[in-house]
Amino acid sequence: FPVTILSNRAPVELSISRERKVIPVPHVTEEELSNYRFYHEYMWKRKLTKRVVDYFDVGYDATKNCLTFPVRDVNGVPRFIQRRGVENKYFHTGEDSYKGKYIYGLYEASLNPDLTCVITEAPIDALTAWTRGYAGLATLGLPITEEQIRILSKYSARMYIIGTDNDWAGNKAVHTLRKMGKILYRMQMNGKKYLNDMSDDDWENVELTFVS
């Protein structure tokens, strides 16, 4: 048999890495959530009910003077908290929250599949829809991401009502949501800008416009 002569290979330095970059997925612990389980009068000022507040574990962060809205993934795991100031329109989710990857209220909607889904921008508007017997879903602001479109497309609902803000950005979101390929209706708010501003009479006479 031929003799094979082995010799040591000289080390080679490469400018690339073999290590896979792992992006951590945010997660909110039960301990942190328990720190915010307080009621605040601003909840009732925005027409939320105790039942809805408890169901969605809405809380109050006294250190930041904000309402807290735990955002859960499709399996019900709280991934991050969106905060809303009680004295001004201040929203904060943190730079590692990946809010464009989640739909607020979708997990709860999956537990109540008989309810019609209403897509909103802010959690308060989504919760307002819940107080009126709808499954409110919030995109946690605009623009709506491609990932959020994918999530809503995969969800079992065949039809959505769009309750985004009654302004230029909210109307532009209607066109974005057409990518889902679902049956869509635009909620008319009788001149109100936000779904949360609608009165009892507005809700009793809700008008919907089919989105072609």
Side-chain angles (χ1 to χ4, degrees), residues 49-115:
T49 64
K50 184 176 181 296
R51 181 180 180 184
V52 166
V53 166
D54 290 345
Y55 189 65
F56 285 85
D57 208 4
V58 181
Y60 174 68
D61 183 350
T63 62
K64 294 182 173 63
N65 196 24
C66 294
L67 296 190
T68 57
F69 302 89
V71 180
R72 303 176 184 276
D73 63 17
V74 293
N75 297 312
V77 179
R79 291 302 181 184
F80 64 93
I81 293 175
Q82 185 173 77
R83 290 170 167 81
R84 205 282 188 195
V86 302
E87 294 182 348
N88 51 51
K89 194 175 181 181
Y90 161 81
F91 294 94
H92 178 73
T93 55
E95 33 182 58
D96 295 325
S97 59
Y98 305 102
K99 70 175 185 177
K101 296 182 179 292
Y102 302 97
I103 298 292
Y104 180 79
L106 189 64
Y107 169 69
E108 291 80 3
S110 70
L111 303 179
N112 299 272
D114 294 334
L115 299 182

Side-chain angles (χ1 to χ4, degrees), residues 30 32-39 57-60 68 72:
E30 173 63 22
E32 181 179 357
L33 290 175
S34 66
N35 292 332
Y36 309 133
R37 290 191 176 120
F38 301 97
Y39 297 121
D57 208 4
V58 181
Y60 174 68
T68 57
R72 303 176 184 276

